[in-house]
């Protein structure tokens, strides 16, 4: 090793020597002088001779750069703020940015960089609401990518409708809380008022139970969540718009309205933060409508006693009870139920109909398989009474007979059996019988699927000569005996009067054979001024697109008479498309 190294040194020294074998520059450096007297090393090529001939390599523009923040101000843009300036040439190249998340990739269409704020604004495809994404910046250095996470769409402009004028408007909403299966967007300064308990309630109770009982929800927008749009209402408590299940183009062609193209439920902002009593009835009720519309897409074949009745049953299935519907029936503050209200002939904004339908389906469930019966009823091809009659005949009996017995059970309140609601409805708190028809009114008319109770001063009771052809009586005496043959024993009790005509395309009333000499009310009856518990379902508009139609006109007329409708404050606006940075 030593001899080799020495040989190298000798060769280097020889190369540095002159012809005499001495080292040429052993003394001080003496500049070379050309014949003309100039320095030989100061000519035009001197610099080139002294500098490395390798080409210049620019500095890495991303060196030392990190992402300070990434966010999505709206549905069409993402901003990425850096710690230092990478330069416009590097930061304004769309291809260096990639965005992906649980909902898939998000296309980046353009990029604009502002060196003053060190921020790049990306124009993206429409974002899914409430989805976490990660933006990755390709710095060109293997393993040197920059990344940051953000949640899509801090704000979203959602189509909603003024249910007074049927005018559409864009509600500018701000993302509030995010749940596992839901996300809330609120209009106005209400984001902080959305209780986390609401989202937890939907995620842990409403969604799993109803999705299992009825069906899984659709996911057309691919975000895996139900969107709650908390908007400035005008009387409604909550509503579902089936047009949102269509493309915007189809909705405009079919309904003349816009579609948000997502699974969205609209909640009146006024009920947010007012306590669980409100949203614990509204949320499961409206979610059932969303599932129902997916199962029964022909909305013109919608039978509200089936759809709305099951929505109230959903409240019972999720919460374990629906006490409001029960108290609404027994209190009957308006007297509409006692006057003989048809369960099938529906009136929106009249909770009496909801109570009747809920109690009927609950009775069916009590007589069959409990809560799981709601699933069977939900999956019937239609809520048309003839379809329901076919189902009931296979399992229990004719439709009219089942409804008649359900009304008898409300009077007798037996714990089980044919005249009991079993575990489905707790009637023990209802110490009083149902209200009776007003005596002496004369000409009481009962439509098909309507029944009421009358009390008489004398017993037995027989049919009157003025009784309609399809009117049937049932005697209920004070001992709880049921008498279905004339003359009817009503001693110490009452008689159920029921229209058994199986007609559901028209609802022509028949005389109930009244008036009879009657006691004013059953002993101890004290009608309440209003229902004792709360449900917001009575303000539920039809599960139709908010356009002029017979059901919506009826709902609007009823709500207007009640003084509960007020026009929305937002003026109708038109979308201006994706923002341009």
């Amino acid at each position: 090793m030593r001899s080799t190294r020495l040989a190298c040194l000798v060769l280097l020294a020889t190369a540095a020597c002159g012809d005499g074998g001495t080292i040429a520059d052993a003394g001080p450096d003496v500049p070379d002088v050309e014949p003309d007297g100039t320095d030989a090393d100061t000519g035009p090529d001197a610099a080139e001779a002294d500098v490395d001939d390798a080409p210049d390599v620019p500095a890495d523009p991303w060196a030392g750069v990190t992402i300070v923040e990434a966010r999505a101000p709206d549905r069409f843009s993402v901003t990425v703020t850096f710690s230092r300036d990478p330069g416009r040439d590097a930061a304004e190249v769309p291809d260096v940015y990639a965005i992906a998340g649980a909902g898939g990739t998000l296309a980046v269409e353009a990029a604009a960089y502002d060196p003053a704020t060190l921020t790049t604004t990306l124009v993206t495809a429409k974002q899914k609401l409430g989805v976490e994404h990660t933006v990755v910046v390709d710095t060109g250095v293997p393993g040197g990518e920059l990344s940051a996470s953000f949640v899509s769409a801090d704000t979203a402009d959602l189509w909603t409708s003024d249910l007074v004028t049927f005018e559409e408007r864009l509600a500018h909403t701000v993302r509030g809380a995010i749940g596992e299966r839901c996300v809330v967007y609120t209009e106005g300064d209400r984001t902080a008022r959305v209780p986390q308990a609401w989202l937890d309630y939907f995620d842990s109770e409403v969604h799993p139970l109803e999705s299992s009982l009825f069906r899984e929800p659709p996911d057309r927008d691919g975000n895996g969540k139900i969107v709650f749009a908390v908007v400035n209402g005008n009387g409604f408590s909550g509503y579902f718009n089936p047009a949102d299940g269509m493309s915007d183009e189809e909705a405009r062609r079919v309904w003349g309205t816009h579609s948000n193209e997502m699974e969205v439920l609209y909640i009146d902002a006024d009920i947010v933060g007012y306590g669980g009593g409100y949203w614990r009835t509204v949320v499961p009720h409206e979610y059932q409508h969303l599932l129902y519309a997916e199962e029964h897409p022909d909305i013109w074949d919608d039978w509200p006693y089936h759809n709305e009745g099951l929505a109230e049953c959903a409240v019972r299935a999720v919460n374990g009870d629906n006490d409001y519907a029960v108290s609404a029936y027994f209190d009957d503050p308006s007297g509409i139920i006692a006057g003989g209200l048809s369960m099938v002939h529906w009136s929106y904004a009249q909770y009496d109909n909801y109570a009747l339908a809920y109690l009927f389906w609950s009775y069916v469930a009590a007589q069959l398989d409990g809560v799981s019966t709601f699933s069977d009823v939900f999956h019937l091809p239609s809520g048309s009474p003839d379809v329901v009659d076919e189902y009931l005949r296979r399992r229990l009996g004719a439709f009219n007979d089942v409804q008649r017995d359900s009304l008898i059970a409300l009077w007798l309140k037996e714990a089980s059996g044919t005249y009991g609601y079993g575990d489905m409805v707790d009637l023990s708190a209802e110490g009083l019988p149902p209200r009776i028809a007003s005596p002496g009114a004369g000409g009481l008319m009962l439509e098909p699927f309507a029944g009421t109770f009358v009390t008489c001063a004398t017993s037995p009771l027989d049919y009157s000569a003025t009784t309609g052809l399809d009117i049937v009586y049932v005697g209920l005496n004070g001992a709880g005996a049921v008498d279905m043959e004339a003359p009817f024993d009503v001693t110490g009790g009452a008689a159920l009067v029921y229209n058994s005509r199986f007609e559901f395309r028209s609802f022509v009333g028949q005389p109930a054979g009244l008036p009879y000499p009657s006691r004013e009310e059953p002993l101890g009856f004290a009608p309440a001024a209003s229902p004792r518990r709360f449900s917001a379902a009575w303000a539920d508009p039809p599960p139709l697109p908010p356009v002029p139609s017979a059901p919506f006109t009826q709902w609007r007329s009823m709500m207007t008479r009640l003084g509960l409708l007020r026009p929305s404050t937002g003026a109708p606006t038109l979308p201006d498309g994706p923002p341009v940075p």
Side-chain angles (χ1 to χ4, degrees):
M1 180 71 71
R2 285 172 57 89
S3 60
T4 302
R5 184 177 300 170
L6 179 60
C8 291
L9 290 173
V10 170
L11 287 173
L12 287 171
T14 303
C17 293
D19 292 340
T22 60
I23 299 176
D25 291 331
D29 187 22
V30 178
D32 295 334
V33 179
E34 296 292 336
D36 61 1
T38 62
D39 186 346
D41 291 333
T42 58
D45 294 332
E48 276 188 40
D50 291 345
V51 179
D52 192 344
D53 290 337
D56 293 340
V57 178
D60 179 6
W62 295 105
V65 176
T66 60
I67 297 178
V68 175
E69 179 190 50
R71 56 185 295 266
D74 52 56
R75 297 189 72 185
F76 296 97
S77 67
V78 172
T79 60
V80 183
T81 302
F82 300 106
S83 61
R84 55 172 292 182
D85 188 359
R88 188 183 300 276
D89 290 344
E92 209 165 54
V93 180
D95 290 345
V96 307
Y97 300 92
I99 303 176
T105 59
L106 182 63
V108 177
E109 300 171 356
Y113 178 66
D114 180 8
T117 60
L118 305 180
T119 299
T120 298
T121 299
L122 308 175
V123 176
T124 71
K126 182 185 289 187
Q127 299 167 23
K128 302 165 185 177
L129 301 186
V131 176
E132 186 172 284
H133 289 83
T134 299
V135 57
V136 176
V137 181
D138 183 0
T139 65
V141 178
E145 295 88 356
L146 308 177
S147 66
S149 297
F150 65 94
V151 178
S152 61
D154 292 347
T155 66
D157 291 338
L158 301 176
W159 285 106
T160 185
S161 295
D162 185 317
L163 303 185
V164 176
T165 64
F166 296 129
E167 291 180 334
E168 289 186 290
R169 66 182 183 90
L170 277 175
H172 183 69
T173 65
V174 178
R175 189 186 64 248
I178 302 176
E180 180 184 356
R181 301 307 301 266
C182 62
V183 59
V184 177
Y185 279 78
T186 65
E187 184 177 21
D189 187 22
R190 285 182 166 87
T191 302
R193 293 177 56 193
V194 176
Q196 183 63 41
W198 177 7
L199 279 72
D200 295 341
Y201 171 63
F202 182 80
D203 283 344
S204 63
E205 299 182 56
V206 177
H207 183 278
L209 195 147
E210 289 197 43
S211 299
S212 174
L213 187 62
F214 300 130
R215 61 165 296 144
E216 286 290 330
D219 189 19
R220 292 180 177 84
D221 54 342
N223 69 343
K225 300 178 187 297
I226 304 300
V227 175
F228 288 104
V230 179
V231 296
N232 297 328
N234 47 8
F236 69 86
S237 54
Y239 77 91
F240 163 72
N241 183 357
D244 288 326
M246 304 177 177
S247 69
D248 189 63
E249 178 183 0
E250 182 183 7
R252 295 177 73 174
R253 182 180 71 251
V254 175
W255 295 104
T257 67
H258 286 277
S259 168
N260 286 311
E261 299 180 331
M262 67 179 72
E263 289 70 44
V264 56
L265 298 177
Y266 303 88
I267 307 296
D268 184 357
D270 286 342
I271 77 167
V272 175
Y274 283 5
Y278 289 77
W279 40 264
R280 287 183 71 90
T281 55
V282 173
V283 171
H285 182 108
E286 297 304 330
Y287 184 54
Q288 190 279 155
H289 284 322
L290 187 152
L291 302 179
Y292 191 95
E294 196 68 17
E295 185 75 13
H296 305 90
D298 184 1
I299 58 180
W300 290 118
D301 191 37
D302 182 76
W303 289 86
Y305 84 98
H306 186 244
N307 189 349
E308 298 287 356
L310 283 173
E312 286 296 277
C313 290
V315 175
R316 158 65 176 84
V318 173
N319 297 332
D321 63 60
N322 189 351
D323 290 345
Y324 178 78
V326 180
S327 66
Y329 175 83
F330 282 92
D331 292 349
D332 188 18
S334 66
I336 292 176
I337 294 175
L341 179 64
S342 172
M343 179 185 71
V344 173
H345 192 190
W346 194 266
S347 294
Y348 278 100
Q350 183 169 275
Y351 190 73
D352 310 86
N353 278 109
Y354 292 78
L356 287 177
Y358 166 71
L359 288 169
F360 172 73
W361 295 121
S362 295
Y363 175 80
V364 172
Q367 297 300 312
L368 296 177
D369 304 313
V371 171
S372 64
T373 305
F374 297 152
S375 178
D376 296 339
V377 174
F378 176 89
H379 287 101
L380 292 177
S382 166
S384 177
D386 56 343
V387 174
V388 173
D389 182 62
E390 181 182 355
Y391 164 74
L392 291 176
R393 285 179 184 271
R394 292 197 309 268
R395 301 292 309 277
L396 196 57
F399 192 133
N400 288 134
D401 293 343
V402 174
Q403 188 187 10
R404 176 202 64 203
D405 290 347
S406 73
L407 296 174
I408 296 172
L410 290 171
W411 184 275
L412 297 180
K413 301 191 184 79
E414 294 182 357
S416 60
T418 301
Y419 303 123
Y421 277 76
D423 295 333
M424 292 304 302
V425 176
D426 181 12
L427 297 179
S428 61
E430 306 299 333
L432 301 173
R435 293 192 66 177
I436 64 170
S438 299
L444 176 65
M445 305 292 284
L446 294 180
E447 294 181 342
F449 306 97
T452 188
F453 296 94
V454 296
T455 56
C456 304
T458 59
S459 181
L461 172 68
D462 206 343
Y463 286 104
S464 164
T466 61
T467 302
L469 181 64
D470 300 291
I471 299 296
V472 296
Y473 283 15
V474 178
L476 306 167
N477 69 20
V482 177
D483 185 358
M484 293 194 178
E485 295 184 4
F488 305 96
D489 180 10
V490 294
T491 305
L496 169 68
V497 188
Y498 178 73
N499 187 339
S500 64
R501 182 172 179 80
F502 195 73
E503 171 59 55
F504 50 89
R505 299 299 178 185
S506 63
F507 293 89
V508 178
Q510 295 186 27
L514 299 178
Y516 287 107
S518 173
R519 302 195 310 269
E520 290 295 317
E521 293 286 2
L523 184 63
F525 186 85
S530 62
R532 288 161 279 160
R533 290 173 282 275
F534 177 81
S535 172
W538 62 272
D540 173 48
L544 295 166
V547 296
S549 63
F552 250 107
T553 300
Q554 179 195 59
W555 175 84
R556 185 174 60 175
S557 175
M558 178 73 75
M559 295 292 285
T560 300
R561 287 202 304 272
L562 295 173
L564 296 174
L565 283 184
R566 59 189 187 281
S568 301
T569 56
T573 56
L574 295 175
D576 54 5
V580 178

